[in-house]
Amino acid sequence: MNLLRRSAALAFALAATVGPLSAQQNTPSAGKSVKVGSGVYEVAVHDASNRVFAATTGSGDEGGQVYVLDGATLDRIRTIPTPDHTPYGIAVAQSSGTVYATDTRSGAVLVIDIASMQMVEVIENPADESGHLREIVVDDVNGRVYVSSYGENGLIWVIDDASRTLVDTFTQVGNGTSGMALGADGARLWAANMAGGDITELDAFTGAELRRFPAGGERPSNLAYDAERDRLWVANQTTNDATVIDVAAGEVLKSVAVGDQALGIRFNPVNDMVYVTARRSGIVTAVDAESMNVVTWMQTGSYPNTVAVNGMTGDAYVSNKARSAGRDAPPVNDPNGDTVTAIRR
């Protein structure tokens, strides 16, 4: 089934499950897509400059690159090489103008200075033996950067943004620690434990575990936080949904069907919606944050992976992985993969 037919079939199936789409003004829509090289993984945006950063692993052993795009046009501004390293996860420290990327293969964090457009630092952690780094979240209020490390006893690195140095490691976070989200003041940190199926709430300054509660779905991968309503949104890969958790009670308010293999998730404060990527369905679902009802589904690319939102403009950007023929097989010609797609509000 081709991508368009697959998306239409999914929309019909979801409509039968969750009812008609909500009435919503200024419904977001998928716009332009551009190719960004081989092995695209995650995408992030620097709000003030409206520059979009896409992490790509490249091919072979030469290392990957970070593509820099103009958020308004998606024109390529430049590429930033990361010699001997392959960026997967990526995030932007808005206040300092710094990009952080995870090299999952080597277990290191790459630091890129936006002003010079160069990789300026590689941070390693001797306390992390597995080094299977996943996601990054940035606390711009307190100048701290958190990096999750997947494992049976998951870890979280803590990096000081000003000095760009490792200052702490939170241990025993959970089984398969992956996505994270921060409270509005940076005091609380939530971590999704993919293998454990739960969420750990931590004191973001000390790493002390405050609570642990069920994610409400299977293989919770990434999180988004709605500070106004004190709700945590969870993308669950196996149950193909986004669960909405009342943080005060630690209880699930609703499960929203969003498509096959829900993965990336972001809250858009400008239009008050939550965007969820469904990788195997090839769509991004927009959900109204107040009613928790689906507003629309958007076809973006072969395998939508992650989504980033510019908190000033409300525009969003989706990284779409390419189809693969499998390990050691010749590459597949996929015009809808290894792309970044803009979502205009």
Side-chain angles (χ1 to χ4, degrees), residues 5-148:
R5 290 175 58 200
R6 185 174 65 197
S7 299
L10 176 71
F12 180 83
L14 287 177
T17 302
V18 302
L21 299 180
S22 303
Q24 179 81 34
Q25 292 183 337
N26 303 318
T27 301
S29 60
K32 181 179 180 180
S33 290
V34 297
K35 283 279 190 179
V36 290
S38 61
V40 67
Y41 265 78
E42 294 196 0
V43 66
V45 59
H46 182 232
D47 294 357
S49 66
N50 201 21
R51 289 177 175 174
V52 179
F53 297 85
T56 67
T57 61
S59 57
D61 299 322
E62 74 278 8
Q65 297 183 96
V66 173
Y67 281 72
V68 187
L69 309 176
D70 183 307
T73 64
L74 289 191
D75 292 341
R76 187 189 306 179
I77 296 173
R78 68 178 300 165
T79 58
I80 303 172
T82 56
D84 303 317
H85 290 281
T86 49
Y88 286 78
I90 195 165
V92 174
Q94 304 291 338
S95 56
S96 68
T98 308
V99 175
Y100 292 89
T102 56
D103 181 350
T104 301
R105 295 180 189 175
S106 69
V109 173
L110 316 178
V111 183
I112 294 170
D113 178 67
I114 292 178
S116 65
M117 291 287 184
Q118 293 183 353
M119 188 173 75
V120 295
E121 199 77 50
V122 176
I123 302 172
E124 297 179 328
N125 187 350
D128 188 354
E129 295 182 358
S130 67
H132 191 81
L133 303 184
R134 295 288 301 230
E135 305 299 326
I136 307 171
V137 295
V138 178
D139 176 3
D140 280 301
V141 175
N142 300 292
R144 290 158 71 88
V145 180
Y146 300 92
V147 184
S148 65

Side-chain angles (χ1 to χ4, degrees), residues 100 121 123 143 159-167:
Y100 292 89
E121 199 77 50
I123 302 172
I159 295 170
D160 176 68
D161 184 38
S163 63
R164 297 168 175 172
T165 58
L166 181 75
V167 294

Side-chain angles (χ1 to χ4, degrees), residues 9 16 37 65 88 112 116 174-175 201 214 288 302 306 324:
Q65 297 183 96
Y88 286 78
I112 294 170
S116 65
N175 188 358
E201 182 179 84
D288 178 74
S302 295
T306 59
S324 171

Side-chain angles (χ1 to χ4, degrees), residues 128 130-134 148-155 172-178 192-196:
D128 188 354
S130 67
H132 191 81
L133 303 184
R134 295 288 301 230
S148 65
S149 181
Y150 188 95
E152 186 174 344
N153 297 303
L155 306 176
Q172 303 291 324
V173 176
N175 188 358
T177 302
S178 183
N193 302 309
M194 192 186 304

Side-chain angles (χ1 to χ4, degrees), residues 12 34 41 54 70 72 84 105 150 179 207 209 225 238 247 251 256 320 334 339:
F12 180 83
V34 297
Y41 265 78
D70 183 307
D84 303 317
R105 295 180 189 175
Y150 188 95
E209 181 176 323
Y225 180 60
T238 304
V247 173
E251 296 177 352
V256 184
N320 303 287
D334 181 6
T339 60

Side-chain angles (χ1 to χ4, degrees), residues 230-293:
D230 198 24
R231 292 175 180 172
L232 198 62
W233 290 71
V234 188
N236 302 294
Q237 285 196 55
T238 304
T239 44
N240 307 322
D241 58 13
T243 45
V244 191
I245 296 175
D246 181 316
V247 173
E251 296 177 352
V252 175
L253 296 173
K254 187 174 183 178
S255 295
V256 184
V258 295
D260 197 0
Q261 197 180 25
L263 185 60
I265 189 165
R266 283 291 183 271
F267 173 65
N268 188 337
V270 178
N271 62 8
D272 204 31
M273 293 187 197
V274 177
Y275 297 149
V276 191
T277 66
R279 186 155 66 178
R280 279 197 292 260
S281 296
I283 62 169
V284 175
T285 302
V287 187
D288 178 74
E290 173 60 28
S291 67
M292 299 174 287
N293 292 328

